[in-house]
Amino acid sequence: MNITPRLRLRSSGSSAHRVRRPMAGLAVASATVAMLTTGCSLEDATCGGGEYPVMTIGSTGSACVSNGEEPSKGYVRYPEGKEPKHVGDKWDKYWQTHTIDKNGDIIKVSGSE
């Protein structure tokens, strides 16, 4: 059995209806380009602009500190190159099972697999 698809052209009725769909697509594309060119991301950032992440010594807690300020007592900077940037990224997941002890060594958190 040979079935040949048939192409039907229909009038959409009004020209305004035909213009609306491409304009919606253009709006979405423009918003996407704007996000990419400004460095905006759909991922949740670990800290806001002008801040950097720190972690609690001896546990998996974390906080954000304003750039130019030192971490509060009981907190330490993440090791260089191992800072989480976004929630759920490689380093965010790593630091859920690891911490830095009072000697500055990276250790596995007890109870984590």
Side-chain angles (χ1 to χ4, degrees):
M1 181 190 296
N2 186 7
I3 300 175
T4 305
R6 293 184 186 176
L7 178 64
R8 285 190 204 177
L9 298 175
R10 288 195 230 168
S11 172
S12 63
S14 73
S15 61
H17 180 69
R18 281 181 264 157
V19 172
R20 205 172 295 146
R21 285 188 185 159
M23 293 303 284
L26 181 60
V28 170
S30 297
T32 302
V33 169
M35 286 185 352
L36 293 173
T37 58
T38 59
C40 185
S41 173
L42 296 178
E43 299 173 297
D44 290 329
T46 301
C47 291
E51 297 178 321
Y52 66 93
V54 294
M55 66 183 308
T56 53
I57 297 171
S59 74
T60 60
S62 64
C64 295
V65 175
S66 295
N67 290 342
E69 292 184 17
E70 289 300 313
S72 301
K73 184 177 180 176
Y75 288 86
V76 65
R77 291 177 185 259
Y78 286 93
E80 188 173 340
K82 296 181 180 182
E83 306 94 343
K85 303 285 187 215
H86 298 281
V87 175
D89 71 11
K90 171 186 171 181
W91 292 114
D92 182 54
K93 291 177 183 177
Y94 177 82
W95 292 112
Q96 291 174 17
T97 58
H98 293 78
T99 190
I100 296 178
D101 68 10
K102 62 183 177 183
N103 299 320
D105 297 320
I106 296 175
I107 58 170
K108 195 160 184 119
V109 176
S110 60
S112 65
E113 297 176 15

